[in-house]
Structures are given as structure tokens and as C-alpha cells.
């Protein structure tokens, strides 16, 4: 019995009631639509974003390939990247052999701490330009998941904000109506004290 009473209290805006206003019904629909769009739209936006990011990362892994190179200059020491973290790749001048057999040089990201003449691995894109290493499958999955969650939360925040703005506007209309009613009915409430 208590569950039925709780459901009646929860759905009070849709029940027949002499005190129910059109704005109450409109507000109930706004709340319902906002929550449905937040849940369903956020889920769809998150899944679509995660799938698009994963597809992009897969294409990136497919388009980039590793080739051997030789350091022309020493790669130097690791660069501090914050509290206790160290970024172990630095830009250094390298030489490699192009597919047509010609020798090429350029600056690429390589592991730090190597001397000139050391063999390193660099990454090229399909057009033969130097590129960074593609993300691993695990890193790509983690990043795609985070992007999907970010998209879902962003959509949810936008929808929640729009719903809050609509409800605020409804409240302003109610306050204006109450003020007009009070101005009309207030003086009829009896004698004024001297």
C-alpha cells in the first residue's frame, strides 16, 4: 500500500487536482524529457563518441609504421613533466633510408639518453612524413572511453542547464501571476488597521 501512495505522491503533477495548474503539468513534462534526454541521449552520445575515437585510433595505428633510424646527435636527458613524472622522449636529429633508397634526415621523437650513432625507432605516416608513435590498443581504448564519458557528461550538463533555465522561467511566470492575484485580491481581505 505504501508503494502505491509513494507513486501517487511522485506523480502528483499528472493527477487530477483542482489546484493543479497548466504550468505544473508543463514542468512535469520538462523534468521527464530532461531526464530521458540526459540518460538516453548521454548514452548514445557517449557510445558514438567512443566508437568514433576508437575507429580514429585504429586508423592511426594502421597508417603509421615504425622504421629504423640512426641518431645524428645525442638525444639528451629526460625532461621532467611535473611531480615525479618524467617524459622520456625528446626531439633529436635522425637519419633514415626512405623507401626509394635515398638517405633522409629530420627531427623526430626518440627515447632520451642515447648517443649519436645509436639505432632508434621512428614512426612515419603513409605520406612518408615523420610522426609520433600511435597509441597502443589499451591506451586507445582508455582514451576512447574517457572521450565517450566526457561527451555523455557534457550533453547531460547542457540538457540539465536548459531544463533548469526552462523551470526558472516557469517559476518567474508563477511569481508574476501570484503578484497580480495578490494586487487584485489583497485589498478585499478586510479592514485595515489604523
Amino acid at each position: 500500500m505504501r508503494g502505491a501512495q509513494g507513486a501517487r505522491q511522485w506523480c502528483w503533477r499528472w493527477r487530477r487536482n483542482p489546484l493543479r495548474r497548466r504550468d505544473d503539468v508543463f514542468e512535469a513534462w520538462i523534468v521527464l524529457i530532461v531526464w530521458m534526454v540526459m540518460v538516453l541521449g548521454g548514452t548514445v552520445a557517449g557510445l558514438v563518441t567512443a566508437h568514433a575515437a576508437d575507429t580514429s585510433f585504429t586508423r592511426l595505428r594502421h597508417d603509421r609504421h615504425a622504421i629504423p633510424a640512426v641518431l645524428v646527435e645525442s638525444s639528451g636527458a629526460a625532461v621532467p613533466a611535473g611531480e615525479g613524472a618524467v617524459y622520456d622522449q625528446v626531439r633529436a636529429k635522425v637519419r633514415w633510408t626512405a623507401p626509394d633508397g635515398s638517405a633522409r634526415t629530420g627531427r623526430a621523437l626518440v627515447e632520451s639518453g642515447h648517443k649519436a650513432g645509436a639505432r632508434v625507432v621512428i614512426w612515419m605516416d603513409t605520406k612518408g612524413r615523420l610522426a609520433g608513435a600511435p597509441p597502443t590498443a589499451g591506451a586507445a581504448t582508455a582514451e576512447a572511453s574517457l572521450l565517450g564519458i566526457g561527451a555523455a557528461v557534457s550533453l547531460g550538463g547542457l540538457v540539465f542547464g536548459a531544463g533548469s533555465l526552462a523551470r526558472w522561467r516557469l517559476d518567474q511566470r508563477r511569481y508574476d501571476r501570484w503578484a497580480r492575484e495578490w494586487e487584485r485580491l489583497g485589498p478585499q481581505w478586510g479592514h485595515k488597521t489604523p
Side-chain angles (χ1 to χ4, degrees):
M1 188 71 160
R2 183 178 171 146
Q5 184 179 10
R8 266 188 275 146
Q9 287 176 354
W10 188 76
C11 298
W12 69 270
R13 287 187 173 110
W14 281 288
R15 288 185 303 156
R16 292 236 176 259
N17 182 337
L19 298 177
R20 184 184 70 177
R21 300 164 293 203
R22 267 189 358 203
D23 287 350
D24 295 332
V25 175
F26 191 59
E27 182 179 18
W29 281 109
I30 288 173
V31 169
L32 180 66
I33 290 168
V34 163
W35 280 105
M36 293 297 285
V37 171
M38 281 176 60
V39 171
L40 297 177
T43 301
V44 169
L47 290 173
V48 167
T49 301
H51 178 69
D54 192 45
T55 301
S56 175
F57 293 140
T58 301
R59 188 177 328 112
L60 196 63
R61 280 195 308 276
H62 181 267
D63 290 347
R64 294 192 179 171
H65 57 279
I67 60 169
V70 177
L71 277 174
V72 174
E73 61 186 21
S74 296
S75 60
V79 179
E83 282 186 37
V86 175
Y87 188 63
D88 63 347
Q89 289 194 325
V90 294
R91 288 212 172 271
K93 192 170 186 179
V94 294
R95 183 178 59 245
W96 71 94
T97 305
D100 62 4
S102 62
R104 304 249 173 107
T105 59
R107 296 188 76 72
L109 279 175
V110 297
E111 290 182 15
S112 61
H114 292 291
K115 303 263 186 225
R119 292 196 164 281
V120 292
V121 174
I122 59 172
W123 291 85
M124 304 288 280
D125 63 12
T126 55
K127 295 179 181 174
R129 295 180 300 206
L130 290 171
T136 62
T141 300
E143 193 167 344
S145 299
L146 287 175
L147 288 170
I149 291 168
V153 169
S154 296
L155 178 68
L158 283 172
V159 171
F160 184 79
S164 296
L165 182 65
R167 290 180 69 195
W168 175 79
R169 187 65 194 120
L170 279 174
D171 286 341
Q172 295 305 314
R173 273 182 35 185
R174 288 181 196 131
Y175 296 151
D176 292 343
R177 259 193 236 132
W178 287 338
R180 285 193 304 271
E181 286 292 318
W182 182 253
E183 286 175 9
R184 188 173 64 85
L185 295 174
Q188 300 174 7
W189 279 36
H191 305 294
K192 301 218 186 242
T193 55

